[in-house]
Amino acid sequence: MKAFVIRYLPLLILGGIWEALPQLGLVDRAQLPPPSEVAVAWLELLYSGDLAANGLSSLVVLVQALLLSVSVGILLGVSMARFSLAQDMFEPVLKALYPVPKSALIPIMIIWFGLGATSKVASVFLGCLLPIVTSTFYGARGVEQTLIWSSQSVGARPVAVIRDVIIPAAMPDILAGIRNAIAIGFILLISAELLIGQVGIGYLISFLGEAGLYPGMFAAILTVSAAGFLADRAFVLVMRRALAWRQ
Amino acid sequence: MATIGQLRRLAIRSASILVLLLAWELSARLDFTTTFHLPALSLVLQRLWATAMSGDLGLAAMQTLLRALAGFCLAAVAGVTLGILLVRNRIVGWFFEPLVSVGLPLPKIAFLPLFVLWFGIYEQSKVLMIAFSAIFPVIVSTAAGTENVERQLVWSARSLGSSERAIFWQIILPAASPQIFTGLQIALPTALIVTVVCEMVLGGYGLGATIIGSMKMMDSIGSFAGIIAIALLGYASIQIMGLVRRYFLGWHQESQT
């Protein structure tokens, strides 16, 4: 407990400085509303339902895109590692896609799917796909050949080999890829919401900013930051659980 | 001599891209899609050529590149310094370690409206936003690299009478440099992603502004041309970063194989 306090004391100090600067008039309140004001604004957003409505919209987009990219990514990565034909077909395309800053594809998704949730899901999906495919591919390719041979020698069918041997053995890499994908997914989600507008936590931030409601804007930024942070920490816990059998 | 198997693989690999490009061109030519949804590749390349000749493309690409580089260099210098201090200085380490570990997974782009509030909508806010997004992986990798420098190296240098300054410049920094470069290689694509978002949201020329501006004018050809341009820029910068790494780490084991 004491170690925890000492470790996170700097965050508290920073919060104290943040509160003191505008309260003492050293910084313009409009430019930096103190945390106490931000907390009030957060509660207002919570009661008005704005936070819940926009947060839920963002969450649904993120979850859909992640589920899609995880399933497609693992499928693609494993088949590329197992079948040289699949590798030869998909690798050049993925290599061509790799250096594109994925945020540049958001306008194309808007052209294709309009100004709605589909464009956001597609943008986040494209951003998340590559890290998952790449890490699954390397993980699945690194599986010890003897494991595959022994499972085959006891009569495992190709699907069973992939499901029971290759995917579990590649799991550390796959999960590391998904962790990267979650971080990139948040970036693309908020970028898409800033551009598409209408709904979502990114939209809420830019709306409050443009309306000059800065305490609310700070509250929304802190909310999405907390969400990104907690998502990462929660996923690390899931990773430890899922990999506990390896020890 | 390439074997038949190798030739076959090469054929499949090039065919997959060619078939995709051909399908793109044909689906537009045969009116499976509208020019708005998917303009023919030939039209996009023509536009790319035309804007390259008129100088518009070079201007936009230069804007994007300079912004991304300014933010990236700021993140590199500040990130490496902070990463080293994090390990070498106890007070800096105590104060910044929790901030960095909390800051690393945050979706930094959410702070864009805040940067606009503080620094306006012009270059300052964009460059600082890019640097803020790119700095965390640099700090974390630098700290990890500095932490992992073999103690024996430092001890033997010290026992031979090296000054602390010499130990830092001649042992710690070189020994940590592979991981520092890894951090920079993670930060570079992030910087490009964020540059494009900043340009799309805030305008002010650059390829991001070209892409979104063309979209708003219903000029898909311009958007697709912009994406090809930013892809080439991304490819070139990633390759150059790799070369820089190889140049500076020529002495290291990783370059010997």
Side-chain angles (χ1 to χ4, degrees):
Chain A
M1 184 62 203
K2 196 182 160 203
F4 182 82
V5 171
I6 291 179
R7 185 171 142 75
Y8 285 102
L9 193 59
L11 285 172
L12 214 63
I13 296 175
L14 213 62
I17 296 174
W18 175 10
E19 178 74 37
L21 283 177
Q23 294 289 14
L24 297 174
L26 295 171
V27 175
D28 187 0
R29 273 184 113 82
Q31 299 264 312
L32 187 73
S36 48
E37 253 176 61
V38 173
V40 173
W42 190 79
L43 287 176
E44 278 167 7
L45 284 175
L46 194 66
Y47 282 127
S48 70
D50 286 339
L51 206 55
N54 290 294
L56 190 67
S57 155
S58 299
L59 188 69
V60 169
V61 169
L62 190 67
V63 169
Q64 283 178 337
L66 272 174
L67 287 179
L68 203 61
S69 56
V70 167
S71 26
V72 175
I74 294 181
L75 191 72
L76 217 58
V78 169
S79 29
M80 280 168 59
R82 289 294 290 159
F83 311 109
S84 69
L85 181 68
Q87 188 190 347
D88 292 336
M89 271 170 59
F90 294 119
E91 206 173 39
V93 181
L94 293 174
K95 276 201 170 143
L97 207 61
Y98 175 73
V100 184
K102 300 303 171 296
S103 49
L105 298 175
I106 298 173
I108 301 297
M109 295 305 118
I110 298 176
I111 289 175
W112 284 352
F113 303 113
L115 287 165
T118 318
S119 303
K120 296 178 195 167
V121 174
S123 306
V124 178
F125 165 75
L126 283 176
C128 295
L129 184 63
L130 241 57
I132 300 178
V133 175
T134 322
S135 55
T136 306
F137 172 67
Y138 285 116
R141 217 180 45 171
V143 176
E144 272 181 62
Q145 196 60 42
T146 44
L147 287 177
I148 298 170
W149 284 330
S150 29
S151 65
Q152 281 168 338
S153 74
V154 292
R157 293 165 184 283
V159 176
V161 172
I162 288 175
R163 192 191 55 210
D164 298 332
V165 179
I166 294 177
I167 290 184
M171 204 39 100
D173 292 290
I174 296 177
L175 290 177
I178 296 176
R179 189 181 174 197
N180 278 337
I182 292 175
I184 296 171
F186 263 96
I187 297 177
L188 283 167
L189 173 71
I190 293 161
S191 308
E193 286 173 347
L194 287 175
L195 286 169
I196 293 174
Q198 296 177 337
V199 69
I201 201 92
Y203 161 72
L204 184 66
I205 293 172
S206 74
F207 170 79
L208 292 168
E210 279 162 20
L213 302 168
Y214 298 123
M217 182 185 85
F218 273 81
I221 293 175
L222 288 183
T223 308
V224 73
S225 301
F229 176 74
L230 291 176
D232 185 66
R233 287 299 142 98
F235 192 75
V236 172
L237 288 182
V238 170
M239 274 171 87
R240 276 202 206 127
R241 271 279 169 85
L243 300 177
W245 60 273
R246 300 177 71 91
Q247 255 73 59
Chain B
M1 267 301 278
T3 63
I4 293 183
Q6 279 169 329
L7 284 177
R8 188 171 152 266
R9 292 195 70 175
L10 190 69
I12 297 173
R13 293 179 83 92
S14 20
S16 76
I17 285 273
L18 286 177
V19 166
L20 208 66
L21 295 180
L22 204 67
W24 176 359
E25 180 71 25
L26 284 179
S27 63
R29 283 287 174 88
L30 301 175
D31 290 333
F32 290 147
T33 62
T34 60
T35 304
F36 174 66
H37 283 104
L38 189 69
L41 177 62
S42 49
L43 289 177
V44 175
L45 293 178
Q46 272 168 24
R47 171 68 63 86
L48 212 53
W49 179 252
T51 49
M53 286 298 108
S54 73
D56 290 346
L57 181 67
L59 204 65
M62 195 50 93
Q63 287 270 8
T64 302
L65 188 65
L66 284 181
R67 271 179 200 134
L69 270 184
F72 173 76
C73 290
L74 207 61
V77 172
V80 171
T81 314
L82 206 57
I84 291 170
L85 285 176
L86 214 59
V87 177
R88 305 270 298 160
N89 184 304
R90 277 185 58 197
I91 295 173
V92 174
W94 166 76
F95 190 78
F96 281 100
E97 201 277 324
L99 300 185
V100 171
S101 77
V102 167
L104 180 68
L106 296 192
K108 264 76 72 182
I109 194 72
F111 289 75
L112 184 58
L114 176 63
F115 278 68
V116 172
L117 169 65
W118 283 349
F119 306 109
I121 60 164
Y122 300 106
E123 296 308 319
Q124 220 180 352
S125 55
K126 291 185 188 117
V127 170
L128 289 173
M129 184 72 234
I130 297 161
F132 181 56
S133 304
I135 197 171
F136 286 94
V138 182
I139 301 176
V140 171
S141 314
T142 306
T146 314
E147 190 107 61
N148 293 338
V149 174
E150 276 180 56
R151 297 280 173 273
Q152 283 92 332
L153 289 177
V154 178
W155 288 334
S156 24
R158 201 169 282 155
S159 73
L160 291 170
S162 305
S163 67
E164 285 303 309
R165 177 183 292 245
I167 289 176
F168 175 74
W169 286 107
Q170 292 174 13
I171 297 189
I172 293 177
L173 202 58
S177 53
Q179 267 177 294
I180 294 177
F181 272 106
T182 304
L184 295 178
Q185 282 174 312
I186 297 171
L188 185 64
T190 313
L192 273 176
I193 289 181
V194 173
T195 309
V196 172
V197 176
C198 288
E199 289 176 347
M200 290 198 296
V201 174
L202 305 178
Y205 301 107
L207 289 172
T210 308
I211 294 169
I212 199 98
S214 306
M215 186 207 82
K216 284 179 181 159
M217 309 284 282
M218 308 291 266
D219 172 25
S220 308
I221 302 176
S223 292
F224 278 88
I227 285 177
I228 293 183
I230 190 81
L232 293 176
L233 201 67
Y235 180 77
S237 57
I238 290 169
Q239 291 297 316
I240 289 171
M241 192 67 211
L243 288 178
V244 171
R245 181 192 183 111
R246 223 174 301 159
Y247 177 77
F248 278 105
L249 296 180
W251 54 273
H252 194 268
Q253 279 168 342
E254 70 168 39
S255 310
Q256 311 297 324
T257 47

